[in-house]
Amino acid sequence: MSNQLQQPVTTLKGIGAERAIDLASLDIHTVQDLLEHFPYRYEDYRVRDLSEAEDGEKITIVGTVYGEPVVRFYGKKKSRLTVKIVVNRVVVTAIWFNRQFLKQQLRAGREIMLSGKFERARLQMTVSEHHFLDTDKKTPQEGSIQPVYSTNANIQVKQIRRWVADALKDYGDKVEEILPAYLVQKYKLAPRAEAIRNIHFPESVLGGKQGRRRLAFEELFLFQLKLQAYHAVNRRTSDGMAQSILLPQVKEFIHSLPFPLTGAQERVVKEILGDMQAGYRMNRLLQGDVGSGKTVVAAIALYATITAGYQGALMVPTEILAEQHYTTLQELLTPHGIELAILSGSATTRQRRDILAGLQSGLIHIVVGTHALIQEDVYFRNLGLVITDEQHRFGVEQRRILREKGLHPDVLFMTATPIPRTLAITAFGDMDVSTIDELPAGRKPVETYWVKHDMLDRILAFINKELGKGRQAYVISPLIEESEKLDLQNAMDVHAQLSHYFAGKYNVGLMHGRLPSKEKDEVMQRFSSGEVQILVSTTVVEVGVNVPNASVMVIYDAERFGLAQLHQLRGRVGRGAEQSYCILIADPKSEVGKERMRIMTETNDGFEVARRDLELRGPGDFFGTKQSGLPEFKIADVVQDYRMLEVARQEAADLISHPSFWVGPEYAPLRHYLKRDEYFLEKIKD
Ligand code: ADP
Ligand code: MG
């Protein structure tokens, strides 16, 4: 970037020390910052044809004053001034509030330009801005499109407009290109200087669009470049270990499984083992739809690390899930002489002490537990692989803890929910991603129905029929997010109701988050074994729980759940060979709520559900929190611009993999850009 653009904003007319402080609060310090403070929308002052204007739209019109203005006073010192204006033979009533002094100026026959909100039905406009065309000097806003900027209490948007205009006049041609020439050509991008001019003050609609397109591409490209540079540099310099996995033994283990792997499972296993064998540290995300068989893949990776002489840890978000995974892994791994342990809250002090000793000595090969696992006084002899559930991100802090224990294990993240690709490559762009995009053969899609509350009798009859065939059912009780206590009350009510209905015929169990872990185990155990046929539960069974004989999932008040959660809950059934059913009981009030129910009944594919969910909610809300790791883009929109995102990502990858990127003079601006990030400061040459 040119040095001149790095000058402080005070070099601009009208910006003194005080203004500079106000601007600093908007993170604007230099001329460049000001030029890169892009408008978030525009005011359109171009004169419009009335017949094209929509109701409620803010428009600009030109007409002639006709008849006498009328002023009405009301309240304390409030007034309403109206006058008729003829616009192309149509009579529009113009309204001003508290501007009674305009009355004298509104003489019949004067030509006037008005901007304001238009009410179609009554042919009325509430005027926010007016100009008399016979006397007013042309203002810069007339007939143009004007930018609107985010600002603070001390600075008016009009001032920013003026400063930006001044900055463009003095420095506009000093703006330098940052993208390599081949990309500008290949995608017919507007040059940077032109784009910046056009994003503030579009010469035309097309010019504005091209400016936006260019800057959005730049933003996505630079973002992807940084992620991938991080990834590439990390691979060169990281302190990982090359695990000497005994492949023939791993193959034997895979053959011993009760089923052949799907093609997708085979592929991701290969990707994961490849990382573990390589000298860099694995940083990989494993995603797949519910029931796609991620657990088996995890078991294979854990087995592999043991053949290389290391230990493994599996961390999950809840104790129920820890129990579940522990049981599954035990079934798969114990026959191969592997020692497993579970560190849970219900362990006695003595059990705990034994487990900790076993991990430290290396007698225990694999430990399963919640995320607290690595944070406590747990020491491993030789930890090679950590698998963690993505529900809580395995963050910088956890890595630090491991490092301080002298551990540099490979890390595999599993997500319980499919993530739409555009989000995966933005939020997890610095990771490698393995995707299981295939379900085991013979699975029947779950049939999903959306019903109203008044059909409860029929639903109960339906459950009765399925249980009669020897199946089992989950009933998820209403969720009241504000209060865990109320959730529990609801679950208890539903439990009482169903126990009464099925009395003497079937056993109904109750599961909720407040049960002590010992009792949770017992309830789960009795449901797994088939002793309990109906499990009433809060959403604690959401992820991971695996009881293949269950074929019915009933969800009360389904409109209160998010799509991802509904899909997870539905994923508890359809795990065996039998036809399974999911019944959503919901009376959604909003259109979005209805759409969510429709999506559930229309598709079984988690990636498709996720994609449509993203469309409904937008990227910010998708993960449910702002700390999702999703960057906030100034111009680009990862949902709308997803094609551009894909292209930008591919181009960034191609460029990074090219050796000349790290040395070529034509890429110096990009390397400089990267070096604004401390991480790259020492690692990249100028
Ligand atoms: P996920 O964790 O991805 O939701 P699981 O790992 O719990 O899925 O697997 C769901 C069910 O499918 C389990 O009962 C598992 O034993 C079974 N399964 C996994 N892989 C296969 C396969 N290749 N063929 C048949 N069944 C499989
Ligand atoms: Mg490795």
Side-chain angles (χ1 to χ4, degrees):
M1 253 340 87
S2 156
N3 277 336
Q4 296 195 49
L5 293 184
Q6 296 301 336
Q7 299 201 47
V9 278
T10 46
T11 57
L12 293 167
K13 261 200 314 271
I15 304 183
E18 243 172 81
R19 284 323 198 179
I21 292 170
D22 292 336
L23 282 171
S25 79
L26 296 172
D27 227 6
I28 299 172
H29 310 276
T30 63
V31 173
Q32 178 176 339
D33 295 336
L34 183 63
L35 289 177
E36 292 181 3
H37 188 63
F38 301 131
Y40 63 91
R41 66 178 182 88
Y42 301 89
E43 291 282 18
D44 190 346
Y45 294 103
R46 289 172 307 156
V47 176
R48 287 278 298 276
D49 192 334
L50 266 189
S51 61
E52 287 169 8
E54 281 172 37
D55 187 43
E57 201 182 355
K58 203 182 160 203
I59 58 166
T60 296
I61 52 174
V62 169
T64 314
V65 179
Y66 169 80
E68 282 292 302
V70 178
V71 177
R72 286 221 173 83
F73 289 92
Y74 62 98
K76 266 192 195 162
K77 293 188 207 157
K78 286 186 184 159
S79 73
R80 184 172 186 271
L81 166 65
T82 55
V83 73
K84 303 246 184 292
I85 308 277
V86 181
V87 182
N88 261 343
R89 293 198 206 148
V90 178
V91 179
V92 175
T93 307
I95 307 170
W96 282 263
F97 289 99
N98 309 322
R99 292 277 184 283
Q100 68 277 10
F101 52 84
L102 288 175
K103 190 177 169 189
Q104 286 79 350
Q105 300 175 38
L106 288 166
R107 289 186 303 272
R110 288 192 83 180
E111 251 205 293
I112 191 169
M113 181 170 107
L114 303 172
S115 299
K117 197 172 155 186
F118 182 60
E119 260 182 86
R120 236 204 123 78
R122 292 198 234 161
L123 285 173
Q124 249 173 218
M125 175 183 272
T126 307
V127 179
S128 55
E129 228 175 296
H130 70 273
H131 299 281
F132 290 104
L133 297 181
D134 49 356
T135 55
D136 280 5
K137 280 199 212 105
K138 237 184 180 285
T139 72
Q141 299 190 338
E142 241 174 64
S144 67
I145 299 172
Q146 291 290 318
V148 181
Y149 300 97
S150 60
T151 184
N152 57 29
N154 297 335
I155 307 177
Q156 291 173 357
V157 171
K158 276 185 189 166
Q159 288 176 298
I160 301 184
R161 280 181 194 162
R162 202 172 60 233
W163 295 331
V164 170
D166 284 348
L168 283 170
K169 204 159 78 227
D170 297 348
Y171 298 90
D173 52 0
K174 310 269 185 334
V175 171
E176 289 175 0
E177 189 51 74
I178 185 170
L179 295 178
Y182 72 89
L183 284 179
V184 174
Q185 271 165 20
K186 185 169 174 188
Y187 296 108
K188 301 194 170 54
L189 300 173
R192 190 162 207 273
E194 188 184 312
I196 287 192
R197 228 175 255 288
N198 261 317
I199 198 93
H200 292 290
F201 300 103
E203 292 162 351
S204 61
V205 175
L206 183 66
K209 271 193 186 149
Q210 284 172 342
R212 188 203 166 271
R213 178 169 163 272
R214 140 83 212 205
L215 292 168
F217 181 87
E218 173 185 312
E219 189 168 41
L220 293 170
F221 176 79
L222 291 180
F223 174 71
Q224 287 294 333
L225 191 76
K226 196 175 193 170
L227 284 180
Q228 302 201 27
Y230 177 82
H231 193 233
V233 170
N234 189 42
R235 283 213 164 177
R236 276 205 315 253
T237 57
S238 94
D239 44 8
M241 44 196 160
Q243 302 197 27
S244 309
I245 294 169
L246 303 178
L247 284 179
Q249 219 173 307
V250 175
K251 281 208 180 99
E252 235 172 80
F253 173 68
I254 292 173
H255 280 300
S256 79
L257 293 172
F259 41 73
L261 294 186
T262 62
Q265 281 171 321
E266 255 174 45
R267 176 169 42 79
V268 303
V269 163
K270 220 181 199 168
E271 289 164 356
I272 292 165
L273 299 193
D275 274 358
M276 290 166 66
Q277 290 168 305
Y280 52 79
R281 167 142 29 150
M282 172 161 73
N283 183 34
R284 186 173 283 278
L285 177 73
L286 173 62
Q287 64 167 346
D289 205 347
V290 249
S292 62
K294 294 182 288 287
T295 315
V296 177
V297 171
I300 296 168
L302 288 167
Y303 184 84
T305 203
I306 294 163
T307 69
Y310 294 98
Q311 292 163 294
L314 176 61
M315 304 198 297
V316 293
T318 67
E319 296 224 340
I320 296 186
L321 207 48
E323 292 287 345
Q324 171 99 21
H325 276 314
Y326 176 64
T327 312
T328 311
L329 291 179
Q330 247 185 339
E331 280 165 20
L332 294 169
L333 296 168
T334 312
H336 297 264
I338 287 165
E339 287 298 327
L340 291 104
I342 179 165
L343 260 185
S344 79
S346 57
T348 64
T349 319
R350 199 203 146 92
Q351 283 168 330
R352 192 179 161 78
R353 207 182 52 213
D354 288 350
I355 293 171
L356 293 185
L359 288 172
Q360 197 152 16
S361 70
L363 278 177
I364 296 175
H365 302 115
I366 288 173
V367 64
V368 182
T370 61
H371 287 82
L373 195 67
I374 56 150
Q375 283 165 352
E376 296 167 22
D377 49 349
V378 181
Y379 290 87
F380 293 85
R381 192 173 75 96
N382 200 359
L383 183 63
L385 174 66
V386 172
I387 302 182
T388 171
D389 198 291
E390 190 55 27
Q391 281 230 323
H392 301 126
R393 290 198 75 184
F394 188 72
V396 176
E397 179 62 11
Q398 281 93 331
R399 285 175 207 259
R400 186 185 60 77
I401 293 169
L402 286 178
R403 226 177 14 251
E404 281 171 5
K405 291 180 179 178
L407 302 165
H408 310 279
D410 285 319
V411 181
L412 181 67
F413 306 83
M414 296 204 287
T415 64
T417 323
I419 302 165
R421 187 173 153 77
T422 64
L423 288 194
I425 66 185
T426 36
F428 307 106
D430 59 336
M431 286 187 221
D432 296 291
V433 178
S434 288
T435 303
I436 309 184
D437 50 8
E438 180 187 354
L439 293 180
R443 288 272 174 79
K444 293 197 182 80
V446 178
E447 282 181 25
T448 303
Y449 299 96
W450 166 26
V451 302
K452 305 280 163 71
H453 280 95
D454 55 15
M455 291 176 70
L456 195 58
D457 286 343
R458 284 178 61 187
I459 297 164
L460 290 174
F462 179 77
I463 295 175
N464 192 40
K465 195 175 103 202
E466 280 295 301
L467 297 187
K469 295 186 211 157
R471 306 282 107 73
Q472 288 165 278
Y474 293 95
V475 178
I476 304 302
S477 84
L479 176 82
I480 297 191
E481 280 167 61
E482 298 82 48
S483 156
E484 203 185 326
K485 245 190 195 155
L486 284 177
D487 280 0
L488 178 52
Q489 188 54 50
N490 275 310
M492 283 161 60
D493 290 349
V494 173
H495 179 254
Q497 192 187 10
L498 294 185
S499 300
H500 177 73
Y501 185 91
F502 292 108
K505 240 179 134 183
Y506 297 115
N507 296 323
V508 186
L510 175 63
M511 168 73 98
H512 58 81
R514 290 200 165 183
L515 283 181
S517 19
K518 220 183 150 108
E519 283 176 44
K520 277 186 203 160
D521 290 356
E522 278 170 23
V523 176
M524 234 22 249
Q525 189 45 45
R526 283 167 57 206
F527 188 63
S528 283
S529 69
E531 183 191 331
V532 160
Q533 289 83 18
I534 303 172
L535 186 64
V536 174
S537 174
T538 59
T539 53
V540 288
V541 296
E542 185 183 339
V543 278
V545 173
N546 189 25
V547 179
N549 188 48
S551 68
V552 182
M553 165 62 67
V554 177
I555 305 173
Y556 272 74
D557 290 347
E559 74 270 18
R560 292 178 185 264
F561 298 88
L563 270 176
Q565 220 177 359
L566 289 175
H567 184 67
Q568 276 300 324
L569 286 169
R570 174 167 64 183
R572 296 312 109 218
V573 297
R575 302 186 145 244
E578 307 304 328
Q579 177 61 55
S580 290
Y581 305 89
C582 175
I583 298 167
L584 307 169
I585 309 178
D587 295 306
K589 300 279 172 290
S590 70
E591 243 340 282
V592 170
K594 287 176 191 161
E595 181 62 15
R596 294 218 307 260
M597 296 306 123
R598 261 177 247 131
I599 292 170
M600 284 298 291
T601 58
E602 283 164 18
T603 181
N604 248 297
D605 176 347
F607 285 93
E608 176 67 8
V609 170
R611 192 185 62 71
R612 293 178 65 174
D613 194 15
L614 175 62
E615 278 175 10
L616 279 185
R617 287 203 280 173
D621 286 340
F622 184 82
F623 289 109
T625 86
K626 278 276 167 200
Q627 300 132 11
S628 56
L630 270 187
E632 300 225 4
F633 291 114
K634 280 205 237 175
I635 290 204
D637 173 325
V638 294
V639 178
Q640 267 176 31
D641 299 327
Y642 77 95
R643 271 178 225 281
M644 196 187 262
L645 174 65
E646 296 275 353
V647 170
R649 176 177 168 81
Q650 193 53 53
E651 290 293 353
D654 291 351
L655 185 56
I656 287 282
S657 68
H658 220 280
S660 70
F661 172 74
W662 307 98
V663 290
E666 67 274 39
Y667 304 120
L670 288 177
R671 292 197 300 271
H672 275 237
Y673 165 78
L674 290 179
K675 291 181 71 167
R676 284 199 229 157
D677 185 325
E678 221 174 301
Y679 178 81
F680 295 111
L681 215 50
E682 301 291 311
K683 299 187 175 88
I684 297 181
K685 290 197 203 67
D686 267 351

PDB file of all heavy atoms in Angstrom, residues 414-436:
ATOM      1  N   MET A 414     -14.714 -33.757  15.614  1.00  0.00           N
ATOM      2  CA  MET A 414     -15.891 -34.343  14.958  1.00  0.00           C
ATOM      3  C   MET A 414     -17.054 -33.380  15.146  1.00  0.00           C
ATOM      4  O   MET A 414     -17.231 -32.815  16.216  1.00  0.00           O
ATOM      5  CB  MET A 414     -16.264 -35.674  15.597  1.00  0.00           C
ATOM      6  CG  MET A 414     -15.209 -36.739  15.427  1.00  0.00           C
ATOM      7  SD  MET A 414     -15.910 -38.403  15.553  1.00  0.00           S
ATOM      8  CE  MET A 414     -16.232 -38.524  17.287  1.00  0.00           C
ATOM      9  N   THR A 415     -17.851 -33.176  14.105  1.00  0.00           N
ATOM     10  CA  THR A 415     -19.048 -32.371  14.311  1.00  0.00           C
ATOM     11  C   THR A 415     -20.247 -33.284  14.284  1.00  0.00           C
ATOM     12  O   THR A 415     -20.351 -34.188  13.458  1.00  0.00           O
ATOM     13  CB  THR A 415     -19.281 -31.319  13.215  1.00  0.00           C
ATOM     14  OG1 THR A 415     -19.506 -32.000  11.990  1.00  0.00           O
ATOM     15  CG2 THR A 415     -18.122 -30.397  13.075  1.00  0.00           C
ATOM     16  N   ALA A 416     -21.152 -33.010  15.207  1.00  0.00           N
ATOM     17  CA  ALA A 416     -22.373 -33.802  15.271  1.00  0.00           C
ATOM     18  C   ALA A 416     -23.352 -33.335  14.202  1.00  0.00           C
ATOM     19  O   ALA A 416     -24.268 -34.035  13.836  1.00  0.00           O
ATOM     20  CB  ALA A 416     -23.003 -33.671  16.646  1.00  0.00           C
ATOM     21  N   THR A 417     -23.160 -32.135  13.702  1.00  0.00           N
ATOM     22  CA  THR A 417     -24.090 -31.545  12.736  1.00  0.00           C
ATOM     23  C   THR A 417     -23.358 -31.233  11.447  1.00  0.00           C
ATOM     24  O   THR A 417     -22.294 -30.631  11.476  1.00  0.00           O
ATOM     25  CB  THR A 417     -24.593 -30.179  13.252  1.00  0.00           C
ATOM     26  OG1 THR A 417     -24.770 -30.257  14.641  1.00  0.00           O
ATOM     27  CG2 THR A 417     -25.875 -29.789  12.572  1.00  0.00           C
ATOM     28  N   PRO A 418     -23.930 -31.597  10.329  1.00  0.00           N
ATOM     29  CA  PRO A 418     -23.321 -31.183   9.075  1.00  0.00           C
ATOM     30  C   PRO A 418     -23.306 -29.659   8.987  1.00  0.00           C
ATOM     31  O   PRO A 418     -24.250 -29.004   9.409  1.00  0.00           O
ATOM     32  CB  PRO A 418     -24.248 -31.770   8.014  1.00  0.00           C
ATOM     33  CG  PRO A 418     -25.034 -32.825   8.696  1.00  0.00           C
ATOM     34  CD  PRO A 418     -25.151 -32.405  10.119  1.00  0.00           C
ATOM     35  N   ILE A 419     -22.249 -29.135   8.441  1.00  0.00           N
ATOM     36  CA  ILE A 419     -22.118 -27.691   8.301  1.00  0.00           C
ATOM     37  C   ILE A 419     -22.127 -27.390   6.805  1.00  0.00           C
ATOM     38  O   ILE A 419     -21.407 -28.042   6.059  1.00  0.00           O
ATOM     39  CB  ILE A 419     -20.792 -27.213   8.908  1.00  0.00           C
ATOM     40  CG1 ILE A 419     -20.735 -27.614  10.379  1.00  0.00           C
ATOM     41  CG2 ILE A 419     -20.628 -25.711   8.760  1.00  0.00           C
ATOM     42  CD1 ILE A 419     -19.354 -27.521  10.951  1.00  0.00           C
ATOM     43  N   PRO A 420     -22.937 -26.431   6.374  1.00  0.00           N
ATOM     44  CA  PRO A 420     -22.926 -26.108   4.946  1.00  0.00           C
ATOM     45  C   PRO A 420     -21.516 -25.727   4.517  1.00  0.00           C
ATOM     46  O   PRO A 420     -20.774 -25.110   5.278  1.00  0.00           O
ATOM     47  CB  PRO A 420     -23.856 -24.902   4.835  1.00  0.00           C
ATOM     48  CG  PRO A 420     -24.649 -24.894   6.085  1.00  0.00           C
ATOM     49  CD  PRO A 420     -23.825 -25.565   7.127  1.00  0.00           C
ATOM     50  N   ARG A 421     -21.195 -26.108   3.311  1.00  0.00           N
ATOM     51  CA  ARG A 421     -19.828 -25.938   2.858  1.00  0.00           C
ATOM     52  C   ARG A 421     -19.326 -24.497   2.980  1.00  0.00           C
ATOM     53  O   ARG A 421     -18.197 -24.260   3.379  1.00  0.00           O
ATOM     54  CB  ARG A 421     -19.721 -26.415   1.400  1.00  0.00           C
ATOM     55  CG  ARG A 421     -18.305 -26.421   0.922  1.00  0.00           C
ATOM     56  CD  ARG A 421     -18.144 -27.029  -0.448  1.00  0.00           C
ATOM     57  NE  ARG A 421     -16.984 -26.454  -1.070  1.00  0.00           N
ATOM     58  CZ  ARG A 421     -15.727 -26.798  -0.785  1.00  0.00           C
ATOM     59  NH1 ARG A 421     -15.492 -27.723   0.107  1.00  0.00           N
ATOM     60  NH2 ARG A 421     -14.719 -26.215  -1.384  1.00  0.00           N
ATOM     61  N   THR A 422     -20.163 -23.539   2.662  1.00  0.00           N
ATOM     62  CA  THR A 422     -19.678 -22.157   2.707  1.00  0.00           C
ATOM     63  C   THR A 422     -19.243 -21.791   4.120  1.00  0.00           C
ATOM     64  O   THR A 422     -18.278 -21.083   4.315  1.00  0.00           O
ATOM     65  CB  THR A 422     -20.746 -21.146   2.260  1.00  0.00           C
ATOM     66  OG1 THR A 422     -21.826 -21.189   3.165  1.00  0.00           O
ATOM     67  CG2 THR A 422     -21.225 -21.425   0.883  1.00  0.00           C
ATOM     68  N   LEU A 423     -19.967 -22.307   5.107  1.00  0.00           N
ATOM     69  CA  LEU A 423     -19.580 -21.997   6.480  1.00  0.00           C
ATOM     70  C   LEU A 423     -18.375 -22.802   6.901  1.00  0.00           C
ATOM     71  O   LEU A 423     -17.503 -22.314   7.611  1.00  0.00           O
ATOM     72  CB  LEU A 423     -20.739 -22.273   7.435  1.00  0.00           C
ATOM     73  CG  LEU A 423     -21.902 -21.311   7.378  1.00  0.00           C
ATOM     74  CD1 LEU A 423     -22.790 -21.493   8.579  1.00  0.00           C
ATOM     75  CD2 LEU A 423     -21.429 -19.874   7.300  1.00  0.00           C
ATOM     76  N   ALA A 424     -18.334 -24.057   6.442  1.00  0.00           N
ATOM     77  CA  ALA A 424     -17.200 -24.896   6.812  1.00  0.00           C
ATOM     78  C   ALA A 424     -15.907 -24.260   6.334  1.00  0.00           C
ATOM     79  O   ALA A 424     -14.922 -24.216   7.068  1.00  0.00           O
ATOM     80  CB  ALA A 424     -17.359 -26.292   6.225  1.00  0.00           C
ATOM     81  N   ILE A 425     -15.901 -23.721   5.117  1.00  0.00           N
ATOM     82  CA  ILE A 425     -14.640 -23.174   4.616  1.00  0.00           C
ATOM     83  C   ILE A 425     -14.378 -21.773   5.135  1.00  0.00           C
ATOM     84  O   ILE A 425     -13.278 -21.279   4.987  1.00  0.00           O
ATOM     85  CB  ILE A 425     -14.524 -23.236   3.075  1.00  0.00           C
ATOM     86  CG1 ILE A 425     -15.535 -22.338   2.404  1.00  0.00           C
ATOM     87  CG2 ILE A 425     -14.622 -24.632   2.579  1.00  0.00           C
ATOM     88  CD1 ILE A 425     -15.517 -22.476   0.898  1.00  0.00           C
ATOM     89  N   THR A 426     -15.325 -21.127   5.757  1.00  0.00           N
ATOM     90  CA  THR A 426     -14.988 -19.867   6.409  1.00  0.00           C
ATOM     91  C   THR A 426     -14.650 -20.084   7.871  1.00  0.00           C
ATOM     92  O   THR A 426     -13.620 -19.641   8.347  1.00  0.00           O
ATOM     93  CB  THR A 426     -16.100 -18.820   6.269  1.00  0.00           C
ATOM     94  OG1 THR A 426     -17.351 -19.453   6.321  1.00  0.00           O
ATOM     95  CG2 THR A 426     -15.997 -18.072   4.987  1.00  0.00           C
ATOM     96  N   ALA A 427     -15.513 -20.793   8.601  1.00  0.00           N
ATOM     97  CA  ALA A 427     -15.262 -20.966  10.028  1.00  0.00           C
ATOM     98  C   ALA A 427     -14.122 -21.944  10.293  1.00  0.00           C
ATOM     99  O   ALA A 427     -13.398 -21.806  11.269  1.00  0.00           O
ATOM    100  CB  ALA A 427     -16.527 -21.433  10.730  1.00  0.00           C
ATOM    101  N   PHE A 428     -13.959 -22.946   9.429  1.00  0.00           N
ATOM    102  CA  PHE A 428     -12.937 -23.957   9.673  1.00  0.00           C
ATOM    103  C   PHE A 428     -11.926 -24.006   8.540  1.00  0.00           C
ATOM    104  O   PHE A 428     -11.344 -25.048   8.277  1.00  0.00           O
ATOM    105  CB  PHE A 428     -13.589 -25.332   9.851  1.00  0.00           C
ATOM    106  CG  PHE A 428     -14.669 -25.342  10.881  1.00  0.00           C
ATOM    107  CD1 PHE A 428     -15.994 -25.403  10.517  1.00  0.00           C
ATOM    108  CD2 PHE A 428     -14.350 -25.242  12.228  1.00  0.00           C
ATOM    109  CE1 PHE A 428     -16.999 -25.387  11.477  1.00  0.00           C
ATOM    110  CE2 PHE A 428     -15.348 -25.223  13.191  1.00  0.00           C
ATOM    111  CZ  PHE A 428     -16.676 -25.293  12.819  1.00  0.00           C
ATOM    112  N   GLY A 429     -11.754 -22.877   7.886  1.00  0.00           N
ATOM    113  CA  GLY A 429     -10.890 -22.845   6.710  1.00  0.00           C
ATOM    114  C   GLY A 429      -9.448 -23.189   6.998  1.00  0.00           C
ATOM    115  O   GLY A 429      -8.711 -23.564   6.102  1.00  0.00           O
ATOM    116  N   ASP A 430      -9.020 -23.055   8.273  1.00  0.00           N
ATOM    117  CA  ASP A 430      -7.623 -23.360   8.581  1.00  0.00           C
ATOM    118  C   ASP A 430      -7.439 -24.830   8.936  1.00  0.00           C
ATOM    119  O   ASP A 430      -6.380 -25.239   9.359  1.00  0.00           O
ATOM    120  CB  ASP A 430      -7.117 -22.467   9.711  1.00  0.00           C
ATOM    121  CG  ASP A 430      -7.944 -22.634  10.968  1.00  0.00           C
ATOM    122  OD1 ASP A 430      -9.113 -23.041  10.852  1.00  0.00           O
ATOM    123  OD2 ASP A 430      -7.419 -22.372  12.063  1.00  0.00           O
ATOM    124  N   MET A 431      -8.504 -25.613   8.783  1.00  0.00           N
ATOM    125  CA  MET A 431      -8.388 -27.039   9.070  1.00  0.00           C
ATOM    126  C   MET A 431      -8.567 -27.822   7.783  1.00  0.00           C
ATOM    127  O   MET A 431      -9.161 -27.353   6.833  1.00  0.00           O
ATOM    128  CB  MET A 431      -9.520 -27.484   9.994  1.00  0.00           C
ATOM    129  CG  MET A 431      -9.365 -27.044  11.388  1.00  0.00           C
ATOM    130  SD  MET A 431     -10.673 -27.847  12.316  1.00  0.00           S
ATOM    131  CE  MET A 431     -11.122 -26.506  13.342  1.00  0.00           C
ATOM    132  N   ASP A 432      -8.093 -29.065   7.820  1.00  0.00           N
ATOM    133  CA  ASP A 432      -8.449 -29.976   6.750  1.00  0.00           C
ATOM    134  C   ASP A 432      -9.818 -30.541   7.085  1.00  0.00           C
ATOM    135  O   ASP A 432     -10.140 -30.720   8.254  1.00  0.00           O
ATOM    136  CB  ASP A 432      -7.430 -31.105   6.678  1.00  0.00           C
ATOM    137  CG  ASP A 432      -6.066 -30.566   6.310  1.00  0.00           C
ATOM    138  OD1 ASP A 432      -5.904 -30.130   5.167  1.00  0.00           O
ATOM    139  OD2 ASP A 432      -5.170 -30.559   7.188  1.00  0.00           O
ATOM    140  N   VAL A 433     -10.599 -30.796   6.076  1.00  0.00           N
ATOM    141  CA  VAL A 433     -11.946 -31.295   6.329  1.00  0.00           C
ATOM    142  C   VAL A 433     -12.139 -32.654   5.662  1.00  0.00           C
ATOM    143  O   VAL A 433     -11.829 -32.823   4.485  1.00  0.00           O
ATOM    144  CB  VAL A 433     -13.014 -30.309   5.797  1.00  0.00           C
ATOM    145  CG1 VAL A 433     -14.411 -30.862   6.034  1.00  0.00           C
ATOM    146  CG2 VAL A 433     -12.863 -28.944   6.458  1.00  0.00           C
ATOM    147  N   SER A 434     -12.591 -33.623   6.439  1.00  0.00           N
ATOM    148  CA  SER A 434     -12.988 -34.917   5.882  1.00  0.00           C
ATOM    149  C   SER A 434     -14.490 -35.039   6.014  1.00  0.00           C
ATOM    150  O   SER A 434     -15.040 -34.769   7.076  1.00  0.00           O
ATOM    151  CB  SER A 434     -12.336 -36.066   6.661  1.00  0.00           C
ATOM    152  OG  SER A 434     -10.966 -36.143   6.381  1.00  0.00           O
ATOM    153  N   THR A 435     -15.135 -35.453   4.942  1.00  0.00           N
ATOM    154  CA  THR A 435     -16.591 -35.522   4.971  1.00  0.00           C
ATOM    155  C   THR A 435     -17.071 -36.927   4.644  1.00  0.00           C
ATOM    156  O   THR A 435     -16.675 -37.501   3.632  1.00  0.00           O
ATOM    157  CB  THR A 435     -17.179 -34.536   3.936  1.00  0.00           C
ATOM    158  OG1 THR A 435     -16.689 -33.229   4.242  1.00  0.00           O
ATOM    159  CG2 THR A 435     -18.702 -34.522   4.002  1.00  0.00           C
ATOM    160  N   ILE A 436     -17.916 -37.484   5.511  1.00  0.00           N
ATOM    161  CA  ILE A 436     -18.569 -38.758   5.202  1.00  0.00           C
ATOM    162  C   ILE A 436     -19.897 -38.417   4.549  1.00  0.00           C
ATOM    163  O   ILE A 436     -20.806 -37.933   5.206  1.00  0.00           O
ATOM    164  CB  ILE A 436     -18.810 -39.606   6.466  1.00  0.00           C
ATOM    165  CG1 ILE A 436     -17.525 -39.734   7.280  1.00  0.00           C
ATOM    166  CG2 ILE A 436     -19.343 -40.978   6.078  1.00  0.00           C
ATOM    167  CD1 ILE A 436     -17.667 -40.631   8.497  1.00  0.00           C
TER     168      ILE A 436
END
